[in-house]
């Protein structure tokens, strides 16, 4: 293995093509194992150092051009070497295109060609390359890359859901071919995350997603992939595990300081927590007299269908509910209870998910409410009375530098369970939340 600054150009008694193969393999080893030989403080230098190593390899490839008989493999190695960089490279695409024309059975060339098309945002061409590779050999690289591609296709919601399901199956196949490959586990985690948001947000699917990410993290190569930590942080944020989300965004930013998204997400989350904390502490900055007036207007009549100790669910089952104060709630789910309060503020954020507001109850207790899967343009407003049945409660406790966030929060996964101003909300107020995986890899 080469250390920092050393040439990756091999020496010894090898044929020119063998020298090229060794040099390109060492180039990828340098990229994939960079943080096993360098500190995080050197992360910003990774692309620059990788470019220097690439230049050395290209010099070698240029020097042996006339000595190689197998032009298809030679061209594949040129294209593969250039594909080591994160950005699209036309010379790489040209070399790889020539390689597969000369030898259509070169699976590795098909895979690298597909990756170049992917970088150039030509999704259909990328798909055809990975399918072409699989026609010759079932391999983990084609399968997991195809999994990524499939999630970008589909003309309507039904077709997109079908393709996401197929994406999961392709990623599973890749994992089965090499269960120790963390990159395949990472792609499977992304596929599950996409499925979670595409199909009814089944908690089991999100659990499978996080399990796949945990498997990926065991692999030193995948664990040094900023995308892994970024995407898992997105999932943590959705689960309101904000401490873990902040750690994930920070890790992604440290691994790739030149990629702005992790730092932006980290700061957006800190800003969000700061705003919510302030709004809970000040009860929406509502003045004393106005606040007391709002509290005095809270009436059990605003419980709507939840008034009277029970209600009938959509399945026809009778659900017993006791009207209680916020201070009477326990952590996590509160079966058989309903709370009622007045909206004192909504929290404006850069991201629409979740829709967040604060409410106070008759005992003058204030809490935050995070509302998911809300139809665009809908949200409660200040002064609304909101009833929440069987609330899921969290006492959030997050530490960030010298900042501490600690407040009571209720999570509501669908607006249709709410009663607002005495009326139960309809399905027209519901729409699925859409969160995507890393902009770099997906």
């Amino acid at each position: 293995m080469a250390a920092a600054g050393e040439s990756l150009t091999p020496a010894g008694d090898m044929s020119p093509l063998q020298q090229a193969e060794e040099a390109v393999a060492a180039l990828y080893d340098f990229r994939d194992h960079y943080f096993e030989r360098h500190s995080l403080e050197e992360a910003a230098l990774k692309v620059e150092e990788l470019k220097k190593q690439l230049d050395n390899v290209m010099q070698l490839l240029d020097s042996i051009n006339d000595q190689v008989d197998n032009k298809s493999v030679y061209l594949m190695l040129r294209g593969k070497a250039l594909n080591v960089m994160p950005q699209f490279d036309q010379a790489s695409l040209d070399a790889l295109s020539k390689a597969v024309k000369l030898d259509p059975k070169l699976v590795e060339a098909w895979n690298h060609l597909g990756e170049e098309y992917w970088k150039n945002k030509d999704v259909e061409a990328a798909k055809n390359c990975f399918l072409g590779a699989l026609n010759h050999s079932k391999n983990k690289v084609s399968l997991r890359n195809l999994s990524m591609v499939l999630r970008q296709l589909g003309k309507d919601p039904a077709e997109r859901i079908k393709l996401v399901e197929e994406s999961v199956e392709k990623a599973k196949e890749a994992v089965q071919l090499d269960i120790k490959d963390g990159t395949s586990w990472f792609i499977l985690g992304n596929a599950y995350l996409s499925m979670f948001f595409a199909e009814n947000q089944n908690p089991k699917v999100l659990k499978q997603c996080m399990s796949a990410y945990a498997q990926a993290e065991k692999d030193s190569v995948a664990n040094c992939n900023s995308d892994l930590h970024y995407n898992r942080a997105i999932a943590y944020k959705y689960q309101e595990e904000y401490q873990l989300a902040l750690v994930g965004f920070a890790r992604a930013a440290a691994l790739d300081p030149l990629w702005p998204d992790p730092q932006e997400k980290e700061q957006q989350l800190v800003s969000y927590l700061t705003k919510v904390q302030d709004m809970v502490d000040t009860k929406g900055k509502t003045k004393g007299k106005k606040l007391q007036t709002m509290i005095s207007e809270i009436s059990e009549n605003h419980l709507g269908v939840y008034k009277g100790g029970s209600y009938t669910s959509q399945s026809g089952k009778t659900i017993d509910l006791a009207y209680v104060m916020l201070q009477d709630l326990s952590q996590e789910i509160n079966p058989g209870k309903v709370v009622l309060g007045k909206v004192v503020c909504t929290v404006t954020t850069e991201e629409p998910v979740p829709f967040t507001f604060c409410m106070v109850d008759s005992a003058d207790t204030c809490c935050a409410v995070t509302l998911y899967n809300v139809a665009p343009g809908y949200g409660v407003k200040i002064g609304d009375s909101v009833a929440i049945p069987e609330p899921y409660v969290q006492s959030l406790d997050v530490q960030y530098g010298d900042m501490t966030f600690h407040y009571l929060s209720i999570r509501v996964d669908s607006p249709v369970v709410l009663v607002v101003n005495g009326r139960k909300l309809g399905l027209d107020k519901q729409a699925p939340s859409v969160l995507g995986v890393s902009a770099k890899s997906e």
Side-chain angles (χ1 to χ4, degrees):
M1 294 183 179
E6 290 182 2
S7 170
L8 296 181
T9 312
D13 189 18
M14 291 187 288
S15 70
L17 198 58
Q18 286 175 324
Q19 290 181 44
E21 289 172 341
E22 288 285 327
V24 174
L27 178 65
Y28 274 79
D29 183 85
F30 180 87
R31 183 195 71 177
D32 295 340
H33 297 275
Y34 183 83
F35 290 105
E36 294 172 45
R37 303 162 191 146
H38 300 76
S39 67
L40 280 176
E41 286 70 27
E42 298 174 273
L45 301 174
K46 181 180 178 181
V47 174
E48 180 183 340
E49 291 293 327
L50 184 59
K51 181 63 168 63
K52 290 179 182 177
Q53 302 296 349
L54 173 60
D55 290 343
N56 290 338
V57 173
M58 294 308 294
Q59 286 178 22
L60 170 66
L61 289 168
D62 288 340
S63 71
I64 66 170
N65 187 13
D66 297 331
Q67 305 171 46
V68 176
D69 294 327
N70 192 333
K71 289 300 182 184
S72 59
V73 173
Y74 173 79
L75 288 165
M76 185 271 289
L77 290 171
R78 285 192 72 93
K80 177 180 178 180
L82 293 167
N83 186 40
V84 78
M85 302 301 291
Q87 68 275 10
F88 169 71
D89 190 294
Q90 184 65 50
S92 172
L93 187 141
D94 291 343
L96 293 164
S97 297
K98 292 175 183 176
V100 296
K101 285 180 181 177
L102 289 171
D103 185 357
K105 294 183 180 180
L106 269 181
V107 170
E108 192 174 8
W110 279 115
N111 283 333
H112 284 285
L113 180 59
E115 289 174 13
E116 282 294 350
Y117 277 123
W118 173 260
K119 291 177 187 177
N120 201 34
K121 304 187 186 305
D122 191 339
V123 181
E124 282 292 346
K127 176 188 173 185
N128 291 335
C129 289
F130 301 135
L131 287 173
L134 289 168
N135 284 336
H136 297 292
S137 173
K138 185 175 181 180
N139 66 95
K140 63 183 181 182
V141 176
S142 299
L143 285 166
R144 69 194 185 203
N145 284 344
L146 184 57
S147 172
M148 291 168 55
V149 167
L150 290 171
R151 294 196 293 278
Q152 305 303 316
L153 300 173
K155 298 176 182 177
D156 55 65
E159 185 181 6
R160 283 193 288 272
I161 288 173
K162 183 179 178 182
L163 289 170
V164 166
E165 291 173 347
E166 187 180 347
S167 164
V168 170
E169 293 307 311
K170 296 302 180 186
K172 282 183 180 179
E173 288 182 52
V175 166
Q176 289 164 2
L177 289 177
D178 183 356
I179 61 172
K180 293 184 179 180
D181 190 311
T183 301
S184 296
W185 280 109
F186 164 55
I187 299 301
L188 178 59
N190 290 350
Y192 276 131
L193 187 60
S194 296
M195 176 183 277
F196 174 75
F197 287 111
E199 295 185 4
N200 303 319
Q201 298 175 19
N202 185 337
K204 179 182 176 182
V205 175
L206 190 57
K207 186 175 181 180
Q208 290 172 310
C209 163
M210 301 306 277
S211 177
Y213 285 153
Q215 289 294 331
E217 195 175 28
K218 295 177 182 179
D219 177 11
S220 61
V221 174
N223 190 32
C224 291
N225 185 333
S226 57
D227 290 22
L228 166 62
H229 299 281
Y230 177 87
N231 289 345
R232 185 165 60 176
I234 293 290
Y236 278 138
K237 179 177 176 291
Y238 183 83
Q239 295 179 97
E240 298 189 6
E241 295 187 50
Y242 296 133
Q243 187 73 63
L244 292 173
L246 288 169
V247 170
F249 289 135
R251 174 70 175 168
L255 288 168
D256 190 352
L258 304 180
W259 183 28
D261 294 23
Q263 295 179 54
E264 289 176 5
K265 290 291 184 183
E266 182 182 357
Q267 291 308 311
Q268 284 176 5
L269 181 50
V270 171
S271 174
Y272 170 79
L273 292 169
T274 302
K275 287 180 181 179
V276 176
Q277 181 75 67
D278 183 43
M279 290 296 102
V280 172
D281 289 346
T282 63
K283 296 173 183 174
K285 300 187 183 296
T286 310
K287 302 296 183 181
K289 188 173 181 181
K290 182 179 179 181
L291 180 63
Q292 291 308 311
T293 299
M294 293 176 73
I295 291 173
S296 69
E297 292 173 348
I298 297 175
S299 166
E300 287 193 38
N301 289 329
H302 292 148
L303 288 170
V305 295
Y306 301 137
K307 182 183 177 184
S310 68
Y311 79 102
T312 303
S313 69
Q314 290 183 336
S315 62
K317 184 179 179 181
T318 299
I319 308 295
D320 293 325
L321 286 179
Y323 172 38
V324 299
M325 298 294 108
L326 291 170
Q327 64 190 14
D328 299 323
L329 297 176
S330 305
Q331 288 285 309
E332 299 191 351
I333 193 72
N334 285 264
K337 296 179 180 179
V338 60
V339 292
L340 176 66
K342 280 281 187 180
V343 177
V344 291
C345 71
T346 57
V347 181
T348 304
T349 61
E350 296 179 57
E351 296 183 320
V353 179
F355 179 87
T356 305
F357 63 95
C358 296
M359 73 178 197
V360 293
D361 66 5
S362 295
D364 198 19
T365 302
C366 185
C367 78
V369 179
T370 52
L371 181 57
Y372 293 81
N373 300 301
V374 184
Y378 178 76
V380 297
K381 61 183 185 297
I382 294 173
D384 282 347
S385 294
V386 178
I388 307 173
E390 304 190 318
Y392 182 88
V393 177
Q394 299 179 85
S395 181
L396 292 171
D397 194 357
V398 178
Q399 189 73 37
Y400 181 80
D402 59 356
M403 304 170 72
T404 298
F405 305 102
H406 184 75
Y407 58 85
L408 190 69
S409 178
I410 296 176
R411 180 189 179 107
V412 181
D413 284 326
S414 171
V416 299
V417 303
L418 298 180
V419 166
V420 178
N421 299 325
R423 297 181 179 181
K424 200 163 186 296
L425 297 184
L427 285 172
D428 62 313
K429 302 299 188 292
Q430 178 174 286
S433 298
V434 178
L435 276 77
V437 295
S438 163
K440 283 204 306 177
S441 67
E442 297 290 332

